[in-house]
Every structure is written in C-alpha cells, then in structure tokens.
Amino acid sequence: MSLSLIGKSVSVSATLKLNETAAILKQKGEPVIHLGGGEPKTKAPVEALMAVAGFVNSGEIRYTPADGIPALKKAIIRYTEEFYNRKVEPENVIASSGAKQSIMVALQAILNPQEEVIFPAPYWVSYPEMVKLIGGVPVPVLAEDGSFYPRLQDIEQRVTSYTKCIIINSPNNPTGAMYPEQFIADIVEFCEKRGIWLIMDDIYHRLIFDGKKPLNCYNYAKDTSENSKLIVINGVSKQYAMTGFRIGWAIGNKRLIEAMTNIQAHQTSGPSAITQIAAVAAINGVQSSVESLRLTLENNRNIMMDRLNSFDGVKAYKPDGTFYCFADFSYYQKDSAKLSKFLLDKVRVLTMPGIEFGLDGFLRLSTCGTVKDITEGIERIKWALDPNAPNELYIGERKLVRDWL
C-alpha cells in the first residue's frame, strides 16, 4: 500500500491509544486505575444538560453555520470580555469541534509546507503531529536551565527565517506549569516585533492553584488592530468537564477567522448543534462548577504530591494548575514507554510516558480521578518499583507477589 508522506509521518496518539487499552482491560474486569486521563470525572453543568434535553426534544436539530451558531458566538464574546477584558466582534470568533480543531484549522490557515512552529517542551502530544499534518516542521524547545519554565532566550535561540508560529500552553499540559507573567509579556512583544503568529492555548486558564490568577495575553499586546497575529484558543472541555461535547473556539483577526471558517466548512462543516447549545448554557450559566472543580483538583494535586514524595527515587514537581503532575521516574527506568507498559502490565495502573510529551524518564500522572484512585494508584506504583516496599500486594482479593526486584 502506498501512503502519503504525511500519512507515514504522523504517529498514533499515545494518550488515546493507552486510554483504549485501559478501557479494554476494564471491560474484561481488570482492576485498572486510570492515572493517565485528561478529563475531569465531574458531571457537566446542569444548565448544559437541561439545555441539551430541551433542544433534543424539539426535534429541530439541523446544520449549523461553519463558524458556530450566533448564540454561541455571543456567549464567547461575553466570555472574552469578562475574562480577557477584550471586546471582539462575531467576525473575530470561530467555534470548532473542540479546541484541538480550532488549533488545527488555525495552523492550516497560516502555515506553509516546511515552515516551522515552535513550542516549549514538554508539550501536548498533538502539537508536533498537527504541524506535520500540514507539512510543517515542529520545533520543541526545552528550557536551558532544565526547568519547566522557559525564558524568552530559550525560544529566541530557535527562531529562524522559517519560523511562522509559536504555541504557548499555560498552564501547561503535561507539567501543570503556569508560565511567569514576564515570560508571557516577553513572548507577546517578541512575536509582534518579529511578525510571528502566536497561538495562546488557554484551555486550562481557570484551573490554577495557590491563589494564582489567570494571565491575560492581551494586556501585553500593543497591536490590537485587525493586523494582530495573536490567536487565543479556549473551550468548554476542561473547565466545565465537557470533554465529550467537543466545543472549542478561537479568537483572532477577521481575515484569519474568515480563512479558518472556509477551511472548517470543507472539513467538518459547523460543530454539532446539540453540543453548541450545551456550551452556550455552560458559558452563560452559574460558574460555581468551575470553582468546585478547581478546588477538587487542587486538593487532589496536594494528595498526589504527598504520595509521590513518600518514596525515594521520584522527583515530583508541584503543578501550578491543570490536572496533571509530571514526575521524574528515571531513577527506576529511563525509558518511560517501557515503564508505563510495565506498570500497566504488573499492577494495572495506567500512566502516560513522558517521551510522548518530549521528555523521557518522566510519567504524566492525572489528578482527575478520585482520592482513592490517586492514593491506591501511587501505592501500587511504589510497590512495583520500590525495593523497600512489602513483597506482596492485594488488589481486591487478588494477591500479587513481586518477583522482579
């Protein structure tokens, strides 16, 4: 079979593949603990569910405009004014089937083959593959000081004449790092001076801890005209626990949004009418569910950090936000893919290998689950790796005997 160069270059989504494996094991009755997930376990806001029920009962479920229904665009405009202090017009907004599609369509609208897209590492697994899908060149950048907090110098050193775009995801998936205000200010100014597109992936911007406040990239932008190359991405998946609804959006200049709309129209047409109605209700509804989720995630993070710090060999870095912890397990195994498979095989704990996020030896651990999942999951991992742990472990009524240490 003859596949295209792009078809052969793009790899499977490691996160989705591992999720599929865990689901199959669970269906077989295996006691899997999922510490790899990227979706909250809380329910979607009741306003969203009621809106969906009423809309479905109407029976009037039809095609939608390629860039989103007017009610959703209006809600996004209000959201942007409330959380970014930025007034935009409907022509500056596009709604998509998830924030992932918004990013993908934005890249398709601005990127030519062989042009480069820079993003800090560790990075979300889809960034490099999305760039490859367009024939572009992904350029991950690790902070020179070894931290999860890049400086402008780190980015600037990798900029070439082929650099077309920079993607910033803060708080960051997988590390949970919220980049400093000075870095955000510097990167906005740098991109404006160089004429480089800047995509701000703000999907986690309200899920931050320790009293921190969301940073607003528009505060540092000098160019607020329709020539601005600043694109802000957001959606309902994370903050409203509406991952399955698949609604995200982009804010950008009118020419860009027009191009994105044309591309999306030929790809998927408009997002689902049902899920757009749900998103409108969530954005316009009572926001207490977001704060409740944030508090739960902060508590779960604290429990996760306590457990990870309890055994030798693991370096855990305290996340500023999101629902991930990116921990260094290289003391036990430098090959994170092997380690992740080992933990799933031996103790049925699903983790995400750090190599998929650009840094081997690490595991991404999710705090989305219950406190029981976190405590028991880390206990199983510790038992599997720590030679000082007891030689036997019970999972339910199943007795495991460690014969590999």
Side-chain angles (χ1 to χ4, degrees):
M1 182 182 294
S2 178
L3 297 176
S4 70
L5 291 174
I6 288 176
K8 288 185 284 190
S9 70
V10 175
S11 60
V12 66
S13 169
T15 52
L16 295 182
K17 185 65 177 176
L18 282 169
N19 286 338
E20 180 184 341
T21 302
I24 292 170
L25 288 171
K26 277 197 170 184
Q27 286 176 354
K28 293 179 178 179
E30 293 289 334
V32 175
I33 292 179
H34 201 326
L35 295 184
E39 56 181 353
K41 301 304 179 187
T42 52
K43 291 183 179 179
V46 65
E47 296 95 338
L49 300 177
M50 291 176 63
V52 166
F55 184 60
V56 170
N57 286 335
S58 76
E60 288 296 319
I61 304 165
R62 310 297 180 192
Y63 287 130
T64 64
D67 56 349
I69 61 175
L72 179 54
K73 296 185 82 168
K74 185 177 180 180
I76 294 168
I77 289 168
R78 188 193 62 76
Y79 184 98
T80 304
E81 185 169 359
E82 179 177 353
F83 291 102
Y84 292 91
N85 195 30
R86 169 82 167 162
K87 291 184 178 180
V88 296
E89 298 178 23
E91 295 80 11
N92 296 114
V93 178
I94 181 172
S96 305
S97 298
K100 179 182 280 187
Q101 187 182 26
S102 290
I103 296 171
M104 186 69 203
V105 175
L107 289 172
Q108 287 176 308
I110 65 177
L111 199 63
N112 293 310
Q114 298 306 307
E115 289 181 331
E116 297 172 347
V117 177
I118 295 175
F119 40 83
Y123 48 77
W124 180 40
V125 294
S126 289
Y127 289 153
E129 307 308 314
M130 293 163 98
V131 174
K132 290 180 195 174
L133 279 169
I134 307 166
V137 179
V139 182
V141 177
L142 284 165
E144 192 173 1
D145 63 4
S147 75
F148 296 151
Y149 300 90
R151 300 171 303 161
L152 179 61
Q153 300 96 298
D154 299 321
I155 304 292
E156 194 172 10
Q157 289 170 5
R158 301 301 300 274
V159 171
T160 71
S161 58
Y162 290 96
T163 302
K164 190 63 170 290
C165 177
I166 296 172
I167 303 176
I168 299 297
N169 173 217
S170 175
N172 172 265
N173 173 8
T175 67
M178 181 178 175
Y179 299 153
E181 181 177 10
Q182 189 58 55
F183 173 76
I184 300 299
D186 289 345
I187 203 72
V188 171
E189 181 182 8
F190 176 77
C191 287
E192 284 189 342
K193 286 183 177 178
R194 294 291 191 95
I196 297 171
W197 289 92
L198 175 59
I199 296 178
M200 296 295 301
D201 184 352
D202 276 6
I203 195 69
Y204 300 99
H205 81 134
R206 293 172 70 189
L207 300 179
I208 53 179
F209 313 137
D210 304 319
K212 292 181 170 64
K213 300 298 181 185
L215 294 177
N216 178 3
C217 57
Y218 291 114
N219 286 343
Y220 318 109
K222 292 183 173 61
D223 184 0
T224 57
S225 73
E226 290 301 325
N227 293 316
S228 170
K229 291 187 174 182
L230 178 59
I231 307 168
V232 175
I233 304 291
N234 218 310
V236 300
S237 292
K238 309 300 184 182
Q239 59 186 320
Y240 296 108
M242 293 173 65
T243 50
F245 287 78
R246 309 308 306 133
I247 293 294
W249 63 82
I251 308 292
N253 73 56
K254 292 177 181 177
R255 287 184 61 196
L256 169 72
I257 298 301
E258 181 182 12
M260 290 174 64
T261 301
N262 292 340
I263 294 168
Q264 187 163 286
H266 291 291
Q267 279 185 340
T268 58
S269 300
S272 162
I274 296 172
T275 55
Q276 288 190 74
I277 291 294
V280 171
I283 296 169
N284 290 340
V286 177
Q287 300 296 293
S288 57
S289 67
V290 179
E291 177 61 11
S292 177
L293 174 60
R294 191 197 67 76
L295 289 171
T296 298
L297 292 172
E298 184 169 3
N299 180 63
N300 287 1
R301 176 208 60 176
N302 293 340
I303 293 169
M304 173 77 78
M305 290 300 299
D306 286 343
R307 296 303 186 274
L308 287 174
N309 289 328
S310 71
F311 65 100
D312 296 332
V314 174
K315 295 178 183 176
Y317 301 87
K318 191 176 183 181
D320 303 312
T322 75
F323 27 73
Y324 310 111
C325 177
F326 203 56
D328 185 353
F329 281 81
S330 58
Y331 175 83
Y332 296 104
Q333 171 60 265
K334 298 187 187 307
D335 187 325
S336 57
K338 283 185 179 179
L339 178 58
S340 184
K341 184 177 185 303
F342 171 82
L343 294 174
L344 186 58
D345 290 344
K346 297 297 185 182
V347 291
R348 293 296 190 248
V349 178
L350 178 63
T351 60
M352 292 296 170
I355 189 63
E356 301 297 337
F357 304 92
L359 201 57
D360 213 354
F362 284 71
L363 294 177
R364 190 191 76 173
L365 304 171
S366 171
T367 59
C368 287
T370 63
V371 170
K372 183 177 182 295
D373 284 343
I374 294 169
T375 53
E376 187 177 341
I378 300 300
E379 180 185 350
R380 291 188 196 180
I381 292 174
K382 183 176 182 180
W383 178 80
L385 298 177
D386 187 353
N388 296 318
N391 200 46
E392 298 176 353
L393 178 73
Y394 281 90
I395 298 179
E397 296 182 355
R398 183 186 302 180
K399 178 182 176 181
L400 301 181
V401 178
R402 190 178 57 201
D403 56 4
W404 53 85
L405 288 179

